[in-house]
Structure formats: structure tokens, C-alpha cells
Amino acid sequence: MTYLNHILIIEDELDAAESLSDMLSIDGFEITIAASVQDAMKLLEEQRFGVILTDRHLPDGLIEHRLQEILEVSSRTPVIVVTGYSDLQAVILAFRQGISDYVIKPIIPEDLIHTVRRILDRRVLEQHLKVEHAFAERIQSTAEAIILVIDFDGRVIHFNRFFTELTGWAQDDLIGENWFERCIYPEDRDLLINVCDTMSRTDRYRGCTNRIRCKNGEAREIRWSNSKWSESDGGQQFILAIGIDVSDLEEATQRAVRAERLAAIGETVAALAHESRNAIQRINAASEVLAINVRGNVDSEEELSVVQRAASDLSTLLESVRAFAAPIQAKMECADLREIWRRSWDDLKCKRSGRDVLLVENVTSCLREVKVDVCRMEQLFRNLFLNALEASDGPVRIEIDCECNEEMVCLKVIDDGPGLSAEQSAHLFEPFYTTKPTGTGLGMPICQRIAEAHGGTIAAGNHSNGTEVAICVPRVKAAVLVS
């Protein structure tokens, strides 16, 4: 900002102009002289100056009558007016129009230099503040981080644009509202309120990670770095929280942990299945022989039936865990999805026997074949149908809707059961999570892995009449190894 050392003097009397120039040159300032406002305007259009020093009486009028033109052309460069005592009242009125200061004749060089230096120092400070403000605004608007300010009562004072882009909350939604009640889940509130209370009483600042509730109800995992922030006058204090969205990292970490768990399960189950298969076969062989020996003894036959069912359940459980832990390599072939889900429905005939159950196919556009692993897709539909049948003891209505195009097949399996609780929705695809007394908790995770092996997706939520599971797979997709 070298132009700040350059001063424009507007003075029509040559001796007075040279006198002012000499005073300021001694202190290292660069001087340019203009004899009128008109000459000064031409100079101001071509270059910038740090200060404009002008006489009040000029050939083209009083300075206060031309002041707005000068300020506009010069981008509001500070103006100092040189005046006598008789004009002092008029100069004071000119302050209202925008002059920065005045110097009274006869001029004392030290006073003039001090006034110019003071105004230039203020201008440098203003420039620095302007740059810092612009930088802060740019950081707030472009950084992919949340900037949040709340008071120690939890009221929202300010947040940046990225917070709105991430969560959907606008300024009108949250400013003045309680942060903990609007955006924090109940199970996290006590911890965060305690952090806020600790910061209000001590100088210890704590970072933390927690979920925040978006406007659409979704949750985002945020890693916070907190500090105290005070107003410029040292008055009220606030909490300045910088947050980074780590939802994807958290999900990736969970996937890695799940993969390690599955690998461990796979090794354990492989050894367990090998050792258990022979034992189960011995139980089955012995129970068949025993069945011959106890034929006609009703009590013994019932007890033996319990043993046989237990052996069958154990075999099924081991096979389910083994199948889940093993990598899925889809063997793709062209097939009609309607035929696949109809076979899955037929496989559950014994489960439907004696019940009021209806499968409704609302299919209008899925008339073409799709490339899938037939066996795996039968397993997927069988699991979904079985969940719907077991969700209710009363009549069951299951609908299959289809929305397809040239690239994707999107199916919705909708039942009229009780729907999903918030806990079930959060953990539905987690291995071994179940609300059934005899379930393994692997049905939906297996469905997810089958969908992913086809390069597709699966999601579940509540429908107006029960639960809705949406499956989307490409019509033609190379097999994907899911381990």
C-alpha cells in the first residue's frame, strides 16, 4: 500500500502549496499539487492517494460544496481541510459531510504531520481489518467446516453457510433457539451440556464427537473443537465451536470393524462347522435308530422330536453364520424377477399355511429380463417375505411395487405390519441385531450384502401401512465380490 505515503494538496496559491509540500516532504511523504478541484479530480481518476489536504476556498468553489464528488472519485480517501478561525464553524459543519479532520492557520508543521500520521495509521488499521474481515468471510463461506457460536445457555448466536448446506437448517430456523433441544439427540445432551458448563467455569476447552439432527431428521456425526470467544469490549462470552463432518469416516470405521469381525467369525465358524457337522450327523443317525426303538411310546417320541428339531436348528444356525461370513461372488444370469420372487414365495408355503396372507404384485414395467444371481435373489426375497410374515400374527398383506428404466430395476416390498421403531431403523442392517426370541439377526445384513454384490442398494423405512424395503439393482452389472 505504497500509495498511502502519497499526499494530494489542493491549493491555488503557489506559495502556500509549496510551504505545505516542504513541511510534509521533510517527513518522507510524496507530494502532488493541484490548483483546483477540477485538476484534483483528473488526478484522482488516474491514481490513488493516502490523504487529500485542501484549502477551503478554491477557484471552483468552497470545498464543502465539492466534497461528495471528491469522496466518490477517490473511493472515500480521507480529506483534511486547512482553514482559519473565521471559517471554523463551517468546517465543523463539513464534518457531517465526510471530512476527516482540519488544520487551523497559521500551520504548525508538527501538528500537521501528527494529524496526517494519525489519519494514515487509522486508514492502515482499517485496511487490515477489512482484509481480515474479507478473509474471515471467505473462510466461513468456503471452508467445509461448521462454524457455530452459542452462548453458555445454549442459544444459537451464529453459524456459517456450510452448516446450512450440511444440515438444511437456515438462520431463521435456529438463531435464538436452544441448540441442545433443536439439534442434539437426547442421549447426547447431558454430556454436551456438561462440556458447556465446564467451559463457562474454567479455562479448560474440550473437544468432542456427537451426532446432530439435520432438518430432514437425518443424523450427522460431527467432531468439535471448542473455545471461548468474547465480544470486542470484553463483555459477554460465547462458545466458538468448529465442527468437521466425520460421518463418512465413522461409517468407514464401522465397516472396517465389521469386516474384521466377519473375518474372525468366518475363521471360527469354519472350524466350528467342520467339528460340529460330524457331531450333528451322529445325533441325527442315533435319533433315527432311537425312533425305531421307541415307536409307539408317545412320550418318548415327543422327546425325541424335540432333540431332532434342536439338531436341525443348530445345523441351520451354523449354516446361516457360515453363509454370512463367507464372501459373496454373484453368478450373474438373465432372469425374470417375477419368477424369482414367486419361487421364494412358494418356498414359504408351510409358513403361510392356515394364515390369511396375500401377495399383491403391482408390476407394470418389469417385463424384461435382468441379469442377477438367481439363487442369491431368491434368498433375498425369501428373507424379506419371512420378516413380513413373522412381524404380525394376524392377516398379512405384502405388496411389490416396481419402478424400472433401461438401467435400473427398483423394487419396493411393502407389508402392513407394525413398522419399524427408531431403534430397529438404526440397527436393522447390523449383523446379529434381532428383536426375535429365536432369530440370528443375519437376515437383513445378508440381504444388504446380496444387493451390494449386484452393484445395487437396499434401504428400509416406515410406510403409511407398515414397513417398506426398497431394492435397486442395475439391469446389467458385472458381479461384485462382497467380503
Side-chain angles (χ1 to χ4, degrees), residues 222-361:
I222 307 297
R223 176 74 177 96
W224 298 101
S225 176
N226 304 320
S227 61
K228 278 184 181 179
W229 177 65
S230 302
E231 290 182 333
S232 56
D233 60 359
Q236 187 175 1
Q237 290 187 322
F238 304 96
I239 295 176
L240 173 62
I242 309 298
I244 304 296
D245 182 15
V246 295
S247 302
D248 294 340
L249 177 61
E250 185 71 18
E251 184 178 344
T253 302
Q254 291 178 0
R255 283 200 302 266
V257 171
R258 190 158 57 242
E260 292 178 4
R261 186 185 305 169
L262 287 176
I265 291 171
E267 294 176 3
T268 303
V269 169
L272 183 61
H274 176 74
E275 298 298 328
S276 302
R277 188 179 295 111
N278 292 332
I280 293 173
Q281 288 176 350
R282 292 197 301 271
I283 292 173
N284 289 335
S287 63
E288 290 175 2
V289 174
L290 189 58
I292 297 173
N293 295 333
V294 300
R295 187 173 296 160
N297 186 330
V298 177
D299 291 338
S300 296
E301 287 181 337
E302 289 181 357
E303 294 295 333
L304 181 60
S305 177
V306 171
V307 173
Q308 290 174 327
R309 286 198 303 273
S312 176
D313 290 344
L314 179 59
S315 178
T316 301
L317 176 61
L318 286 170
E319 179 59 28
S320 296
V321 178
R322 186 202 65 77
F324 178 72
I328 293 180
Q329 175 66 64
K331 299 178 181 179
M332 315 298 273
E333 59 183 289
C334 290
D336 186 335
L337 280 180
R338 292 173 301 181
E339 297 301 323
I340 294 175
W341 73 59
R342 287 170 183 172
R343 283 198 296 272
S344 298
W345 184 249
D346 291 339
D347 290 344
L348 298 173
K349 187 177 295 183
C350 61
K351 293 285 186 179
R352 297 185 280 114
S353 179
R355 296 187 60 183
D356 182 6
V357 177
L358 180 64
L359 178 65
V360 180
E361 299 177 346

Side-chain angles (χ1 to χ4, degrees), residues 8 10 36-42 44-45 47 49 51-56 58 60-81 97-99:
L8 174 62
I10 309 176
S36 65
V37 172
Q38 184 177 355
D39 293 342
M41 297 285 280
K42 293 178 181 179
L44 290 169
E45 289 174 353
Q47 57 185 307
F49 295 90
V51 171
I52 300 172
L53 182 63
T54 178
D55 190 28
R56 180 171 177 248
L58 295 166
D60 25 16
L62 296 174
I63 188 63
E64 57 262 35
H65 297 158
R66 308 294 301 274
L67 184 60
Q68 294 306 314
E69 299 175 58
I70 294 175
L71 291 175
E72 184 176 343
V73 172
S74 67
S75 300
R76 307 201 73 79
T77 298
V79 175
I80 301 174
V81 176
Q97 298 178 347
I99 70 166

Side-chain angles (χ1 to χ4, degrees), residues 141-175:
S141 62
T142 60
E144 291 191 353
I146 295 173
I147 300 176
L148 172 71
V149 180
I150 62 174
D151 65 19
F152 284 99
D153 292 325
R155 286 190 299 271
V156 178
I157 306 301
H158 171 78
F159 53 81
N160 65 337
R161 186 186 305 169
F162 180 74
F163 178 84
T164 299
E165 295 173 355
L166 182 67
T167 66
W169 293 111
Q171 297 277 336
D172 292 342
D173 298 323
L174 290 184
I175 297 300

Side-chain angles (χ1 to χ4, degrees), residues 427-476:
H427 302 286
L428 189 63
F429 294 104
E430 289 184 8
F432 309 109
Y433 173 80
T434 181
T435 57
K436 302 175 186 177
T438 59
T440 62
L442 293 176
M444 291 306 290
I446 288 174
C447 290
Q448 184 182 48
R449 297 181 72 224
I450 292 172
E452 290 175 351
H454 286 78
T457 61
I458 184 170
N462 286 320
H463 188 267
S464 57
N465 297 320
T467 302
E468 174 183 295
V469 180
I471 310 108
C472 288
V473 295
R475 281 195 177 278
V476 179

